CSV table of all heavy atoms in Angstrom, one decimal:
chain,number,residue,atom,x,y,z
A,221,PRO,N,-11.2,-11.7,17.0
A,221,PRO,CA,-9.9,-12.4,16.9
A,221,PRO,C,-8.9,-11.6,16.2
A,221,PRO,O,-7.7,-11.8,16.4
A,221,PRO,CB,-10.3,-13.7,16.2
A,221,PRO,CG,-11.6,-13.5,15.6
A,221,PRO,CD,-12.3,-12.4,16.4
A,222,ASP,N,-9.3,-10.7,15.3
A,222,ASP,CA,-8.3,-9.9,14.6
A,222,ASP,C,-7.8,-8.7,15.4
A,222,ASP,O,-6.8,-8.1,15.0
A,222,ASP,CB,-9.0,-9.3,13.3
A,222,ASP,CG,-9.3,-10.3,12.3
A,222,ASP,OD1,-8.6,-11.4,12.2
A,222,ASP,OD2,-10.3,-10.1,11.6
A,223,ASN,N,-8.4,-8.4,16.5
A,223,ASN,CA,-8.1,-7.2,17.3
A,223,ASN,C,-6.9,-7.5,18.2
A,223,ASN,O,-6.9,-7.3,19.4
A,223,ASN,CB,-9.3,-6.9,18.1
A,223,ASN,CG,-9.1,-5.6,18.9
A,223,ASN,OD1,-8.3,-4.7,18.5
A,223,ASN,ND2,-9.9,-5.4,19.9
A,224,VAL,N,-5.7,-7.8,17.5
A,224,VAL,CA,-4.5,-8.2,18.3
A,224,VAL,C,-3.7,-7.0,18.6
A,224,VAL,O,-3.8,-5.9,17.9
A,224,VAL,CB,-3.7,-9.2,17.5
A,224,VAL,CG1,-4.4,-10.5,17.4
A,224,VAL,CG2,-3.3,-8.6,16.1
A,225,LYS,N,-2.9,-7.1,19.7
A,225,LYS,CA,-2.0,-6.0,20.0
A,225,LYS,C,-0.7,-6.3,19.4
A,225,LYS,O,-0.1,-7.4,19.5
A,225,LYS,CB,-1.9,-6.0,21.6
A,225,LYS,CG,-1.1,-4.9,22.2
A,225,LYS,CD,-1.2,-4.9,23.7
A,225,LYS,CE,-0.5,-3.8,24.3
A,225,LYS,NZ,-0.7,-3.8,25.8
A,226,LEU,N,-0.1,-5.3,18.7
A,226,LEU,CA,1.2,-5.4,18.0
A,226,LEU,C,2.2,-5.2,19.1
A,226,LEU,O,2.4,-4.0,19.5
A,226,LEU,CB,1.3,-4.5,16.9
A,226,LEU,CG,0.2,-4.6,15.8
A,226,LEU,CD1,0.5,-3.6,14.6
A,226,LEU,CD2,0.0,-6.0,15.3
A,227,THR,N,2.8,-6.2,19.6
A,227,THR,CA,3.8,-6.1,20.7
A,227,THR,C,5.2,-6.3,20.3
A,227,THR,O,6.1,-5.5,20.6
A,227,THR,CB,3.4,-7.2,21.8
A,227,THR,OG1,2.0,-7.0,22.1
A,227,THR,CG2,4.3,-7.0,23.0
A,228,LEU,N,5.4,-7.4,19.5
A,228,LEU,CA,6.8,-7.7,19.1
A,228,LEU,C,7.1,-7.3,17.7
A,228,LEU,O,6.2,-7.0,16.9
A,228,LEU,CB,7.0,-9.2,19.2
A,228,LEU,CG,6.6,-9.9,20.6
A,228,LEU,CD1,6.7,-11.4,20.5
A,228,LEU,CD2,7.6,-9.4,21.7
A,229,GLN,N,8.4,-7.3,17.4
A,229,GLN,CA,8.8,-6.9,16.0
A,229,GLN,C,8.1,-7.8,15.0
A,229,GLN,O,7.7,-7.3,13.9
A,229,GLN,CB,10.4,-7.1,15.9
A,229,GLN,CG,10.9,-6.8,14.5
A,229,GLN,CD,10.6,-5.4,14.0
A,229,GLN,OE1,10.6,-4.4,14.8
A,229,GLN,NE2,10.2,-5.3,12.8
A,230,ARG,N,8.0,-9.1,15.3
A,230,ARG,CA,7.3,-10.0,14.4
A,230,ARG,C,5.9,-9.7,14.2
A,230,ARG,O,5.3,-9.9,13.1
A,230,ARG,CB,7.6,-11.5,14.7
A,230,ARG,CG,6.9,-11.9,16.0
A,230,ARG,CD,7.2,-13.3,16.3
A,230,ARG,NE,6.6,-14.3,15.4
A,230,ARG,CZ,5.4,-14.7,15.4
A,230,ARG,NH1,4.6,-14.3,16.4
A,230,ARG,NH2,5.0,-15.6,14.6
A,231,ASP,N,5.2,-9.1,15.2
A,231,ASP,CA,3.8,-8.7,15.1
A,231,ASP,C,3.7,-7.6,14.0
A,231,ASP,O,2.8,-7.6,13.2
A,231,ASP,CB,3.3,-8.2,16.4
A,231,ASP,CG,3.3,-9.2,17.5
A,231,ASP,OD1,3.3,-10.4,17.2
A,231,ASP,OD2,3.4,-8.8,18.7
A,232,ILE,N,4.7,-6.7,14.1
A,232,ILE,CA,4.7,-5.5,13.2
A,232,ILE,C,4.9,-6.1,11.7
A,232,ILE,O,4.2,-5.7,10.8
A,232,ILE,CB,5.8,-4.5,13.5
A,232,ILE,CG1,5.7,-4.1,15.0
A,232,ILE,CG2,5.8,-3.4,12.5
A,232,ILE,CD1,4.8,-2.9,15.3
A,233,ALA,N,5.8,-7.0,11.6
A,233,ALA,CA,6.2,-7.5,10.3
A,233,ALA,C,4.9,-8.3,9.7
A,233,ALA,O,4.6,-8.2,8.5
A,233,ALA,CB,7.4,-8.5,10.4
A,234,MET,N,4.3,-9.1,10.6
A,234,MET,CA,3.1,-9.8,10.1
A,234,MET,C,1.9,-8.9,9.7
A,234,MET,O,1.2,-9.1,8.7
A,234,MET,CB,2.6,-10.8,11.2
A,234,MET,CG,3.5,-12.0,11.2
A,234,MET,SD,3.2,-13.1,12.7
A,234,MET,CE,1.6,-13.7,12.3
A,235,ALA,N,1.8,-7.8,10.5
A,235,ALA,CA,0.7,-6.8,10.2
A,235,ALA,C,1.0,-6.2,8.9
A,235,ALA,O,0.1,-5.9,8.1
A,235,ALA,CB,0.6,-5.8,11.3
A,236,ASP,N,2.3,-5.9,8.6
A,236,ASP,CA,2.7,-5.2,7.4
A,236,ASP,C,2.4,-6.1,6.2
A,236,ASP,O,1.8,-5.7,5.2
A,236,ASP,CB,4.1,-4.8,7.4
A,236,ASP,CG,4.6,-4.0,6.2
A,236,ASP,OD1,3.8,-3.1,5.8
A,236,ASP,OD2,5.6,-4.3,5.6
A,237,ALA,N,2.7,-7.4,6.4
A,237,ALA,CA,2.5,-8.4,5.3
A,237,ALA,C,1.0,-8.5,5.0
A,237,ALA,O,0.5,-8.6,3.9
A,237,ALA,CB,3.1,-9.8,5.7
A,238,LYS,N,0.2,-8.5,6.1
A,238,LYS,CA,-1.3,-8.6,6.0
A,238,LYS,C,-1.9,-7.5,5.1
A,238,LYS,O,-2.8,-7.6,4.4
A,238,LYS,CB,-1.9,-8.6,7.4
A,238,LYS,CG,-3.4,-8.7,7.5
A,238,LYS,CD,-3.7,-8.9,9.0
A,238,LYS,CE,-5.2,-8.8,9.2
A,238,LYS,NZ,-5.6,-9.1,10.6
A,239,LEU,N,-1.3,-6.3,5.3
A,239,LEU,CA,-1.8,-5.1,4.6
A,239,LEU,C,-1.2,-4.8,3.3
A,239,LEU,O,-1.6,-3.9,2.6
A,239,LEU,CB,-1.7,-3.9,5.6
A,239,LEU,CG,-2.5,-3.9,6.8
A,239,LEU,CD1,-2.1,-2.8,7.7
A,239,LEU,CD2,-4.0,-3.9,6.5
A,240,THR,N,-0.1,-5.5,2.9
A,240,THR,CA,0.6,-5.2,1.7
A,240,THR,C,0.1,-6.1,0.6
A,240,THR,O,0.1,-7.3,0.8
A,240,THR,CB,2.1,-5.3,1.9
A,240,THR,OG1,2.5,-4.5,3.0
A,240,THR,CG2,2.9,-4.9,0.7
Side-chain angles (χ1 to χ4, degrees):
D222 292 329
N223 185 21
V224 294
K225 187 173 182 176
L226 307 183
T227 304
L228 307 172
Q229 179 56 43
R230 66 182 293 277
D231 299 334
I232 307 275
M234 283 170 68
D236 186 44
K238 181 174 170 172
L239 294 173
T240 303

